[in-house]
Amino acid sequence: MQFHHYGYVSGDPRVMPAQGYGVDRPAKLPSEVDVLIVGAGPAGMATFAQLSQFPTVSTAMIERRPHRLKIGHADGIQARSVETFQAFGFAESITQEAYRITETAFWKPSKDNPNHIERVARTDDDPMGISEFPHLIVNQARVLDYFAQVAANSPSRALPHFGYEYQSLTLDHEAEYPVVVKVLRTEGENPGEELTIRAKYVLGADGAHSRVRRDIGAQHLGGVSYHAWGVMDVLANTDFPDIRTKCIIQSNHGSILHIPREGGYLFRSYVDLGEVPEDDNGKVRQTPLEEIIDRANAIIAPYKLDVKNVAWWSVYEVGHRVTDRFDDVPEDEIDGRDPHVFIAGDACHTHSAKAGQGMNVSMQDAFNLGWKLGHVLTGLAPASILKTYTAERQEIAQNLIDFDRDWSTRMAKNPLSGDDDDAIEEYYVRTAEFPAGFMTQYKPGLLIADHAQQDLAGGYPLGKRFKSAPVRRLSDGNTLQLGHLHRADGRWRIYVFADEAKAGESAKLQAWSNYMLSEEGPVRKHTPKDADINALFDINVIYQQPHTDIDVNKVPEVFQPVNGPFELVNREKVFGSNANDAITGWKGDIFDIRDISRDGAVIVVRPDMYVADILPLDATAELGEFFGKIYNA
């Protein structure tokens, strides 16, 4: 964390100075906003937190609840989400209060007594070392609290508006604020009052029964699998030995997905209630809690579950749906106009809870869209960049539905059926990268270069998230994870991996620096004139030599930018490739770990952490062309 460069900070540096709309922000819901977010769930809150980093963008979020969420239905936090929390600044804090999944136990019918279960396998949660971040379980309400804190502490001082219910929207394409939204006040002063809000953009993060989706004419496509599950968060005593371990239990009486919760005592069980007739018409949702508990006891026999307290419970049928588009522009009008209304999260994809993807994928929808809106509304990028949201996220949602349909079918399968050619414990390990959140790979397009040279950095697949590795910072000798430098501040990251020459001896590196700081280079061409030189591009260099062999006074200027009114030099963007094994446990340097060419490479990473371009040091024209297509000249 860097601070003091605008003057001495004596308080909490996480509370940033108010700027723009954050100065004397009124408590009243405004009648005109740049962005109106409908719904304060994971997608809405994450977008709200991202947009709060743009203080000149007016953002409002409404939520029909009268207060913060107290009990959330989602709880699984995949490693990619924790990586995202790191970018927002609260990964360490939320990890401390969460339950950490390190292994999964698999239970099946005993060979000696098929009516009893026995443990057949234990698997590490991340057997292939996909991520340095943990797999967590924590209540959705706490995730929302952390995002809300980010927004409140941001320069925008953004706060949600609770007690407002979305009613409808219409579009007036010729107006400066083209989206006209009707809102009903449900709590506080003047309940029942109808308000009109005009917005440049609207995000519908209002759940599976989204009214915003309805009003833009998008279609939720898919169906229900006619298999019901009861879910309960309980406090109980039991002789089941793996009660504090994640378990997948398949018995002769049904299945259970068992998830220990944070705090040491609470746990969640998804209990198989069996097939549902097609003409059930929702009757299964009236299944009493006692029946779910009885079914759970039958499944875990010979063990017993004595439930003492129930924090929350529900019954649902598995549904798999994806919306045909994630914005207001019909397919036949894509070339004619830019979108102004978007949907995210459950509003555009619904599925089972078995793979723990709902909240996680919703937050990635938000991360994808938030920075794009920020760049458009600050005048950096043309509105056409917003077309990439549906183009990128709809395919990811479909991939999720396909995976979840397969996974939930396997979960419900009776292991004694004889149709078990691919055991669930083997499938779980083989597909671990997908539920961890790291299979997303965006295709070449406006924001993913089609000229990238993948052979220069085999460990950084184009279109996938930037995978971290340790480096040694020159200025203080600290070993850091390079990927952890990324912040959800709307900036691009450019990581320059130097050739074999020492600092001051590489003609290629010096020429690259000169180009980047020239009037033709993207830094001066696209960074606002009144902003710090690194306001849009955060540029770092990693040398092949140990940090002790680098002469800071010979490092090119672009890697030592000046910041703030005092024009202080930033000394924290120069790294040696040597990692401290005693600290990280890694062996070898980052060039070996991530298969980076010893001739050097430039890796461009989007504000949402996805690799956008890979180039040799001398391909400056291609780099300029890539950013030139995105931003206004």
Side-chain angles (χ1 to χ4, degrees), residues 1 27 32 78 131 152 165 198 279 304 328 331 362 366 406 412 427 435 450-451 455 514 526 533 577 588 605 612:
M1 177 179 292
E32 290 184 343
Q78 304 292 353
S131 175
E165 185 175 29
R198 299 194 72 114
D279 60 354
K304 297 293 183 182
D328 63 301
E331 186 175 356
S362 297
D406 189 12
Y427 180 83
D450 57 7
H451 58 229
D455 59 309
N514 293 343
H526 305 301
I533 197 68
S577 63
V605 182

Side-chain angles (χ1 to χ4, degrees), residues 257-276:
L257 173 61
H258 174 77
I259 308 289
R261 294 289 301 270
E262 65 278 15
Y265 298 94
L266 188 70
F267 62 85
R268 171 171 293 185
S269 287
Y270 293 92
V271 182
D272 183 3
L273 299 181
E275 296 294 327
V276 179

